[in-house]
Amino acid sequence: MPEFDYTDLLPMGPDETRYRLISAEGVRVVEAAGRRFLEVEPEALRLLTETAIHDISHYLRSSHLAQLRKIIEDPESSGNDRFVALDLLKNASISAGGVLPMCQDTGTAIVMGKRGRHVLTDGADAEHISRGVYDAYTKLNLRYSQMAPITMWEEKNTGSNLPAQIELYAEDPHGHPDEYKLLFMAKGGGSANKSFLYQETKAVLNEKRMLQFLEEKIRSLGTAACPPYHLAIVVGGTSAEFALKTAKYASARYLDAIPTEGSASGHGFRDTELEAKVFELTQKLGIGAQFGGKYFCHDVRVVRLPRHGASCPVAIAVSCSADRQALAKITPEGIFLEQLETDPARFLPETTDEHLSDDVVRIDLNRPMPEILAELTKYPVKTRLSLSGPLVVARDIAHAKIGELLDAGGEMPQYLKDHAVYYAGPAKTPEGYASGSFGPTTAGRMDSYVERFQAAGGSKIMLAKGNRSKQVTDACAAHGGFYLGSIGGPAARLAQDCIRKVEVLEYPELGMEAVWRIEVEDFPAFIVVDDKGEDFFSDSTGPVLSIGRR
């Protein structure tokens, strides 16, 4: 019989995080039964949460911004890689002003906390954290995305972005019984939708098969979640849900300090050698930072977990260009939050857009639709565009309503015949601004409507982020349509620099899901699918590893 040997599943190394003091109020040390206890007031949890949601909505980690700068400086980066990276740095600089959030999808609030055994609260920690989430989302220019189920089929937006996902554990963080440590995340729908679980077997546990498997699955991520990604892969797990949760934490680099070697005790570890091989794979895919190139990912984390002998879960998750998370702690000294970068402009290069990308074709959206289509047909996929003029904005619910109209024998709305359609939904508009953060949403959710809409004369030019299905390519070839890709991520920059006017056209009761008319100037886009049936992403679907061809 082996001797008893306890280990944490994910043993955490030293905390090297740089923190800033939020407040010394709301905490006090009390002595009882020969022990020292930390008493935490409800206001401390509320204030910390509100501040954390503000910071992760507007600031990024310096390490993430340095990776964007690296893309610009790498001579192997494509022109489109560099253009995307520069736009994301510009977006971060605007967002850091504290008015426009970095992404219009300001996410589901996720909070994970580890409370030491000598930390005293009133027991309603989740309620106080939720109040902080409520205060941040209702006071700031953020978007409400949480849908409350009224019945199985009916939903209503909660109007506050609650509920939040809150998980609290009784655990001495890093061996400190009088500390409360937390991780705050804002997870948008795009990146959350790129979390995957695959139930594999031991057959995948060799390098050749694993790399073949990962190449296929990584390709399937596409660009809808706004790369460059922080990619996390977890192999094994005591349960499927633990594998997925570990992948989420790894994508936030929360597990960077776990061991890099395994042992017979069964703890998880990082496989840094496989991380390097997978990262090299991602650079060879050709997808790049959304529109072709090298930087599909900033980095890769691979975590190996123990498993039941009859199962082998593999989980994949990403953190997108809105890389929103921050660590926090409450100690006897006060309330502390991870110091994020408040001056991202220092990472901007001394160059212009023209130095970083290919020639730009300017498209006047004020012209009649046939003239715009005749202009676009002159250029191949991958061509970079600059759009100026009116766009109609419509996304999921608006498409469903127009689909119902057509099914009932109605006419395609004239605005979808006359104008390009932008799949998006704005965050709140700050006072004095023409628009709130207003970046593109995932195009694929509207794929099923394209054939019907184009056949009825609408949606001839579509603008959004991410790849599309073959049915969209076929529809564009049949009806002379185009799908233009917008850069996923720089919602604040688009609002400040490109969107000049916003007004509701139809369905105002839908809030951000209404049909809008906006005026844009120098709005960046790329031809992804053209009227000849060419699809940019079709160039990035074949295997790149020689190991995958043997």
Side-chain angles (χ1 to χ4, degrees), residues 93-105:
S93 300
I94 293 168
S95 177
V99 178
L100 293 167
M102 68 184 72
C103 179
Q104 81 286 344
D105 184 348

Side-chain angles (χ1 to χ4, degrees), residues 67 72 102 166 320 331 345 350 356 359 383 428 463 468 489:
Q67 288 173 312
I72 295 172
M102 68 184 72
I166 301 171
C320 67
T331 75
E350 296 296 326
L356 296 171
D359 293 339
T383 299
K428 284 181 282 187
L463 176 66
R468 309 294 299 260

Side-chain angles (χ1 to χ4, degrees), residues 74-308:
D74 186 348
E76 295 182 353
S77 298
S78 69
N80 287 345
D81 274 342
R82 296 190 186 103
F83 177 70
V84 170
L86 179 63
D87 224 39
L88 291 172
L89 282 174
K90 290 178 179 177
N91 186 70
S93 300
I94 293 168
S95 177
V99 178
L100 293 167
M102 68 184 72
C103 179
Q104 81 286 344
D105 184 348
T106 47
T108 297
I110 300 173
V111 185
M112 187 272 287
K114 297 178 179 179
R115 192 175 80 184
R117 68 186 186 278
H118 289 176
V119 176
L120 305 176
T121 70
D122 67 358
D125 299 26
E127 180 179 347
H128 307 316
I129 290 169
S130 293
R131 181 70 200 207
V133 171
Y134 173 89
D135 288 345
Y137 276 87
T138 54
K139 293 177 184 177
L140 300 172
N141 298 310
L142 308 183
R143 196 175 84 185
Y144 309 139
S145 300
Q146 304 308 307
M147 306 298 292
I150 307 304
T151 69
M152 180 60 75
W153 321 119
E154 299 173 87
E155 296 179 313
K156 181 180 180 181
N157 194 302
T158 63
S160 64
N161 217 54
L162 291 175
Q165 178 181 318
I166 301 171
E167 300 178 3
L168 302 176
Y169 299 91
E171 176 183 331
D172 289 355
H174 291 96
H176 296 290
D178 58 353
E179 286 193 2
Y180 203 150
K181 301 202 76 170
L182 302 104
L183 169 66
F184 292 91
M185 303 178 71
K187 197 72 172 172
S191 62
N193 292 344
K194 297 302 177 180
S195 300
F196 295 100
L197 174 72
Y198 305 97
Q199 294 287 14
E200 298 300 309
T201 68
K202 182 175 170 52
V204 81
L205 294 181
N206 66 79
E207 183 176 310
K208 176 181 178 180
R209 177 67 189 109
M210 179 61 75
L211 286 173
Q212 290 173 336
F213 171 83
L214 291 177
E215 179 180 350
E216 175 190 349
K217 303 309 180 187
I218 291 169
R219 284 184 185 282
S220 72
L221 292 174
T223 61
C226 307
Y229 299 132
H230 299 279
L231 173 64
I233 299 162
V234 173
V235 179
T238 50
S239 65
E241 63 270 23
F242 186 70
L244 281 166
K245 184 181 297 187
T246 302
K248 179 184 290 185
Y249 292 156
S251 73
R253 279 82 71 215
Y254 179 72
L255 302 177
D256 277 8
I258 65 173
T260 54
E261 294 181 348
S263 73
S265 62
H267 62 74
F269 66 92
R270 280 182 62 189
D271 187 333
T272 54
E273 182 179 346
L274 188 54
E275 287 177 0
K277 291 179 179 179
V278 175
F279 184 52
E280 182 181 5
L281 163 64
T282 68
Q283 294 185 320
K284 293 179 178 179
L285 293 176
I287 300 173
Q290 305 190 28
F291 300 102
K294 177 180 178 182
Y295 282 97
F296 187 54
C297 294
H298 283 304
D299 48 40
V300 176
R301 297 293 184 268
V302 178
V303 176
R304 181 67 158 90
L305 293 176
R307 68 184 184 90
H308 185 286

